[in-house]
Amino acid sequence: MVENTNNTSGGGNTGLAFIVGGIVVVLAIVAYFVFARGGAPETKDVNVDVNLPEVSAPAVPGTN
């Protein structure tokens, strides 16, 4: 008697295929926002004035 057993399992990598597919989709979305919108945003000239007026401490009572 001859037993012929063929064990073929082709669904073992289905989870890995979904993970790799998800990574490809995320990278495509990131690439769209980086390259389709002109890359880095334009630089703007921002001038901030941090010169504050002179402030004196109040007089301490009892030191006349």
Side-chain angles (χ1 to χ4, degrees), residues 26-59:
V26 168
L27 288 177
I29 292 170
V30 169
Y32 169 76
F33 282 109
V34 170
F35 295 117
R37 296 179 175 241
E42 61 184 56
T43 59
K44 296 181 180 179
D45 185 22
V46 177
N47 294 321
V48 178
D49 186 14
V50 292
N51 295 324
L52 299 175
E54 183 76 25
V55 177
S56 61

Side-chain angles (χ1 to χ4, degrees), residues 11-31:
N13 290 329
T14 304
L16 181 63
F18 277 114
I19 292 171
V20 171
I23 291 172
V24 169
V25 169
V26 168
L27 288 177
I29 292 170
V30 169

